[in-house]
Amino acid sequence: MKNFQEFLSELKLTLQYHDDLNNKLWTDDKLKPDVKAALIKFGHAWADFAKIPKSMIQDIVMTGGNANFNYTSKSDIDVHLIVDRSKLFSDPKFVEEYLQDKKSLWTLTHNIDVYGYPLEPYAQDENIKYPKNQGVYSLMNDKWIAKPIHCDYDFQSDHLLKQKVQHFMHAIDHMIKHHMGDESFNNMKARFKSMRSASLEKYGEFGRENLVFKELRNRGYIDKMNKYEASLKDKELSLK
């Protein structure tokens, strides 16, 4: 019988780190013109959907793994509108909930990709600082705001990363198997949000907790959790 360390050694992470940017999207360090045009078009379409006036959009940027060296076949393309969110609504909590709801509804009703990579929209406040080591490319100005720096990352040999991934995989499976309620899932999602935010702020794109979240998302565990939580709500509202 394998011990835990042997099991972790055999656990193959989906996370990858490359020597070059994704050549489906980039030519050297310049975004391909057709990709740039498609992302700008997508950004404006989502702005219309979310009722964000075009006059409020200061920039449209591409960020995330596909603006860095840690992309995989499962990576999406993060397209962020840079806006002054205080001009949308005066209540910061309300504007965040509104934009997240619009993002979720868009994702449920649209299936748009560029060369097989799904597009993920977000409205980012102009005052938010970008995490360290995160590539950010201005689509409207066709240039880097923050150019990614290539480092030597070996995700497969990070046993603590694997251990944390395994812990959360087991926890989510356990919660679903034992039919745990909304409160448990809300607590788990709050924990993910807190640990990921702290990791990004302190260590940037390659903070361990951010990588844990990415690995769980790549493996379908975030989607599994969201679908189960939605099924709980459907049952609660149904009359049998």
Side-chain angles (χ1 to χ4, degrees):
M1 184 176 181
K2 294 183 178 68
N3 62 38
F4 188 61
Q5 288 302 320
E6 289 175 326
F7 176 79
L8 286 180
S9 295
E10 293 179 1
L11 180 65
K12 298 298 182 186
L13 300 176
T14 64
L15 297 169
Q16 299 173 15
Y17 197 78
H18 303 270
D19 291 331
D20 301 296
L21 295 171
N22 190 340
N23 60 20
K24 289 185 177 181
L25 309 175
W26 302 88
T27 301
D28 296 323
D29 64 349
K30 198 76 170 177
L31 196 63
K32 293 183 176 180
D34 58 335
V35 174
K36 183 188 72 171
L39 298 186
I40 290 175
K41 184 177 180 180
F42 170 82
H44 285 305
W46 191 73
D48 289 341
F49 180 81
K51 301 189 183 328
I52 299 173
K54 286 185 173 58
S55 60
M56 288 183 57
I57 301 173
Q58 299 174 16
D59 201 353
I60 304 175
V61 305
M62 173 184 174
T63 187
N66 267 310
N68 212 314
F69 302 100
N70 58 318
Y71 56 89
T72 74
S73 61
K74 298 180 183 296
S75 295
D76 51 25
I77 299 176
D78 296 307
V79 180
H80 291 194
L81 308 182
I82 308 302
V83 299
D84 181 353
R85 287 170 52 153
S86 67
K87 292 182 179 178
L88 286 173
F89 302 102
S90 59
D91 184 344
K93 184 178 179 181
F94 180 81
V95 72
E96 175 64 19
E97 290 178 353
Y98 170 81
L99 291 171
Q100 288 291 351
D101 286 346
K102 283 293 186 180
K103 175 180 175 179
S104 297
L105 185 57
W106 174 275
T107 303
L108 290 170
T109 55
H110 295 78
N111 183 23
I112 303 171
D113 66 76
V114 167
Y115 294 132
Y117 297 99
L119 304 187
E120 186 80 11
Y122 187 67
Q124 177 177 316
D125 191 78
E126 60 180 352
N127 295 318
I128 297 296
K129 293 182 179 180
Y130 296 107
K132 292 184 292 185
N133 303 324
Q134 180 170 306
V136 184
Y137 194 86
S138 169
L139 298 169
M140 294 177 72
N141 297 309
D142 197 21
K143 66 179 183 180
W144 289 101
I145 296 173
K147 196 170 182 179
I149 299 172
H150 191 276
C151 303
D152 292 323
Y153 288 102
D154 181 7
F155 301 131
Q156 301 302 330
S157 63
D158 189 338
H159 287 285
L160 184 55
L161 172 60
K162 290 183 178 182
Q163 187 173 339
K164 286 176 174 284
V165 168
Q166 178 62 25
H167 165 75
F168 284 111
M169 287 168 56
H170 175 77
I172 292 169
D173 284 336
H174 177 84
M175 290 164 65
I176 293 174
K177 180 179 179 180
H178 293 277
H179 309 290
M180 298 183 76
D182 278 342
E183 185 176 356
S184 297
F185 285 90
N186 288 336
N187 289 341
M188 178 67 79
K189 289 166 75 173
R191 185 177 177 187
F192 281 147
K193 183 176 181 179
S194 176
M195 73 178 195
R196 192 182 185 201
S197 296
S199 178
L200 282 167
E201 183 176 351
K202 189 170 184 179
Y203 301 108
E205 177 77 7
F206 299 100
R208 186 174 281 115
E209 285 74 16
N210 185 49
L211 295 177
V212 168
F213 181 86
K214 284 178 174 287
E215 180 67 19
L216 291 170
R217 186 177 60 190
N218 288 352
R219 288 175 175 268
Y221 271 81
I222 303 301
D223 190 46
K224 181 192 289 190
M225 187 169 63
N226 289 336
K227 285 180 177 178
Y228 177 77
E229 192 177 16
S231 74
L232 289 178
K233 181 60 67 178
D234 289 348
K235 287 179 181 178
E236 179 187 337
L237 297 174
S238 297
L239 180 63
K240 300 294 184 183

